[in-house]
Amino acid sequence: MEILLQLVFSGIALGMIYAVIAFGYQLTFATSGTLNFGQGESLMLGALVGLSLVGTIHGGPYMSYLLMIPLVIVFGALQGMLVEWIGVRPAIKIKSEFGWIMSTIALAIIFKNVAENIWGKDDLTFPSPLSSAPIDILGANVQPMQIAVVVGALAIMAAVEIFNRKSIYGKAVVATANDRDAAGLMGINTRAVITFSYALSSAVAAFAGVLVAPLTLTGATMGASLGLKAFAVAIIGGLTSGVGAIVGGLILGITETTAGYYISTGYKDVPGLVLLLLVLAVKPSGLFGKAAIKKV
């Protein structure tokens, strides 16, 4: 039972990282109907930039980590704006259905190559801001950083939701997500809203990068796998549901850790992907998603 709890707690921490990245997919899909397939690279760049900043900011591991986070979020936002300007806006302008897919994938490859040339191809160790001494919870040993990942992930998603519901700029995002054409007729600059949604999406992913980095190795290749699995989470939970992102992330994270232990590490990805196929077959809009109705 202790081992199972240990696996569940590890799966929850991993699942919340997936949920944050999937939440970023939802932000761009809601406002523009497009996705940034380089979302994993936003996480990777956030982690690597955070690693560089932690080494230059003085004040101890904990303080340098806290001071680094706002800078990484700003960097992620700028990177997201660049993706929207170069890869997405031209495709939306000419109403291309697939142009943004190839553009965001191409930019992801470019970002990965840039990271390899700056930080190298070897994986690096990100210093943990918290103690490595585990905390006993119901007999399972939980690292403080795992708790920080869960709290940080929930906090950033809650902050975005509160922003969208309470601020005038957030309401512009919600209006654009509900009906872009109607929002434009009401005087909302929908192009700026889409740019903002990409900036917010990449900022959230960059934040997820510095959350997960102390628990794993940091390198130029870390984003591809996390981004792909987070996309699976977004599909499982539904691209229109924030709750779906959390539930889907938890399902995939716990499934991975338990399958890796009880079956084989070589098959740890299989159960989650089988679940993805089942959801697509039974409910293509996702567990919590709403089916889109198009008038023809």
Side-chain angles (χ1 to χ4, degrees), residues 119-133:
W119 287 279
K121 296 183 178 181
D122 296 330
D123 290 329
L124 305 171
T125 302
F126 197 112
S128 176
L130 303 177
S131 170
S132 59

Side-chain angles (χ1 to χ4, degrees), residues 189-200:
N189 187 342
T190 56
R191 179 179 295 180
V193 170
I194 293 173
T195 302
F196 176 76
S197 69
Y198 265 83
L200 190 58

